Amino acid sequence: MDMIIHERRDEADGVVSLTLGCARGGELPAWAPGAHVDVHLAEGLVRQYSLCSDPADRTRWRLGVLREPASRGGSEHVFDKLHGGDIVSVGAPRNHFALEPSARYVFVAGGIGITPILPMIAAAEAAGADWTLLYGGRSRSSMAFVEELTRYGDRVRFAPQDEVGLLDLAGLLATPRRDTLVYACGPAPMLDAVDALMAGWSPGSLRVERFTPKVVATGSEAFEVEFASSGVTVTVPPDRSILTVAEEAGIPALWSCREGTCGTCETPLLAGRAEHRDSLLTDEERADQTTLFICVSRAEKGCGRLTLDL
């Protein structure tokens, strides 16, 4: 849908927010904390950004964007080309980082990873849940939405690296807590450290969102894929993805990131066992073997055939 940029605002060093509304007026699609949208920035250039406004406000969406030093073109386009009054095409919200009901939450954010956490905190506060936030960044000046978060008092702990060093994740997570969900978003090293520290927690206690793909094992054997809805069966060689082979066979498939982080190409798995290489599914969802992401997932070793609803 076409959306107009109502406001572009500097939120921190290297971070801007864009407040968007429907170009034709009217209400925007409903969404819940943790959702993100595809923003079409130029021909063939699509990037995903978390919604960080109030889900109850159906007239406006807010996005937070970090200027990446090694940008592949997305953040550079936002910073250099987009201004108030411009029109951009934005997709419908998708959510693979949904806030589940809990009596207690621990939120951990690093840098621009604060964006999906903001509406989660507001929802936890409204629900009367017990929650805390540990929010780190390179420096206080680089940390967005600090002023917005100060209203929550000592529930929020700011940890600029140039003032306090690395986040004290061990002090926060070393002891498992019952009835507690941990939501974390930020740089890969931070998320890997959170994951390792929570090895002794109850299964399902940790939910993460990654902006870059998780490092997974490479290499695979060839396998067959039956596209049940299309009536086509193809062979996926070791050096090609299911998505690529589907495109070559003329089977329409939605995609955006091609690296297992956005969720656009999620496809129901009807038969066979997948080797999940995405950065989205929980351990429980992987074990269910009911869905996969065709841009990165493959057949498990020894499983020569997958049947997909595509």
Side-chain angles (χ1 to χ4, degrees), residues 72 211-214 257-262 277-279 295-296:
R72 293 176 298 160
F211 294 138
T212 56
K214 188 174 183 178
C257 72
R258 301 188 89 103
E259 56 186 20
T261 58
C262 77
R277 297 185 176 186
D278 63 274
S279 302
C295 66
V296 291

Side-chain angles (χ1 to χ4, degrees), residues 63 88-89 94 105 107 111 178 196 199-200 216 228 239 251 269 271 290 307:
L63 313 175
V88 292
S89 179
R94 295 195 307 275
Y105 298 98
F107 298 109
R178 297 182 57 190
V216 296
D239 61 343
I251 297 169
L269 174 60
T290 59
T307 303

Side-chain angles (χ1 to χ4, degrees), residues 153-197:
D154 59 7
R155 289 195 176 200
V156 177
R157 194 166 117 218
F158 299 106
Q161 186 174 347
D162 62 350
E163 296 177 22
V164 300
L166 297 176
L167 293 177
D168 182 16
L169 296 173
L172 183 68
L173 302 171
T175 303
R177 304 182 190 179
R178 297 182 57 190
D179 304 322
T180 300
L181 293 181
V182 177
Y183 281 79
C185 185
M190 183 197 86
L191 297 181
D192 292 341
V194 169
D195 193 17
L197 285 165

Side-chain angles (χ1 to χ4, degrees), residues 233-250:
T233 299
V234 297
T235 297
V236 180
D239 61 343
R240 303 285 257 281
S241 68
I242 300 173
L243 172 59
T244 299
V245 173
E247 291 174 327
E248 293 171 348

Side-chain angles (χ1 to χ4, degrees), residues 101-189:
S102 180
R104 186 179 298 107
Y105 298 98
V106 173
F107 298 109
V108 183
I112 198 63
I114 191 61
T115 50
I117 301 296
L118 285 173
M120 291 185 177
I121 287 173
E125 182 79 357
D130 181 15
W131 65 269
T132 59
L133 165 66
L134 177 60
Y135 176 21
R138 295 187 310 277
S139 64
R140 194 172 294 269
S141 64
S142 73
M143 296 167 65
F145 309 110
V146 168
E147 183 178 348
E148 188 172 317
L149 288 163
T150 55
R151 70 175 191 240
Y152 294 116
D154 59 7
R155 289 195 176 200
V156 177
R157 194 166 117 218
F158 299 106
Q161 186 174 347
D162 62 350
E163 296 177 22
V164 300
L166 297 176
L167 293 177
D168 182 16
L169 296 173
L172 183 68
L173 302 171
T175 303
R177 304 182 190 179
R178 297 182 57 190
D179 304 322
T180 300
L181 293 181
V182 177
Y183 281 79
C185 185

Side-chain angles (χ1 to χ4, degrees), residues 13-38:
D13 292 344
V15 179
V16 298
S17 65
L18 302 178
T19 300
L20 312 174
C22 184
R24 301 178 183 177
E27 287 194 337
L28 295 167
W31 62 281
H36 68 266
V37 292
D38 289 343

